[in-house]
Amino acid sequence: METAASNDPKATTMLDADPGTGLGADLDADDVRRIALSLPRTVERELWNIPTFHVEGRMFVTVPDDGTSFAVRCPKYERTELIAAEPEKFWVPPHEANSSWVRARLSALEDEKELSDILLDSWKQAAPADLAESFEH
């Protein structure tokens, strides 16, 4: 399945989070989808039975497991500091230890702006340089 940046809330329901999870700032996986698809040239694809988001063919966010967290690109040297500073918010599962990705718990985010900033940073890492440089959010 592929969903282009149409902002159609009916595109798929695969990201529905359990409303009983007590997510911080009332953020859920649908917010991840909405913000990710608002970024230029972003498409949604289902890979590994989970939603993934790509810019120009390069993945920049996934919503693994039960939709209460998401994974984004993060250089390893920054990832260590990020996890040390906010371990309740960021972590890396053992099977992703050698990757340049980090997971974030939606319930630990302060607000939608923080979610948007994290997704934008990951998008810029994946987007072609000319696109990333020309985009103002």
Side-chain angles (χ1 to χ4, degrees), residues 44-120:
E44 179 179 356
R45 294 187 182 121
E46 184 179 325
L47 297 174
W48 313 292
N49 295 316
I50 63 170
T52 66
F53 300 86
H54 305 250
V55 57
E56 296 294 313
R58 298 189 67 199
M59 188 166 40
F60 71 95
V61 63
T62 69
V63 182
D65 308 318
D66 63 1
T68 62
S69 67
F70 60 99
V72 291
R73 291 175 174 262
C74 184
K76 287 183 186 179
Y77 65 89
E78 291 179 15
R79 185 175 75 179
T80 303
E81 292 177 18
L82 193 62
I83 293 169
E86 298 182 271
E88 72 289 346
K89 188 179 294 184
F90 299 104
W91 89 102
V92 177
H95 69 277
E96 295 175 4
N98 292 325
S99 72
S100 292
W101 288 73
V102 67
R103 291 200 190 183
R105 292 174 182 86
L106 284 162
S107 62
L109 298 181
E110 293 176 25
D111 53 26
E112 189 172 302
K113 181 177 181 342
E114 183 177 26
L115 172 59
S116 182
D117 289 346
I118 292 168
L119 294 176
L120 178 60

Side-chain angles (χ1 to χ4, degrees), residues 120 123-136:
L120 178 60
W123 179 88
K124 285 182 173 182
Q125 291 177 57
D130 60 331
L131 179 60
E133 290 169 7
S134 68
F135 181 67
E136 292 184 26

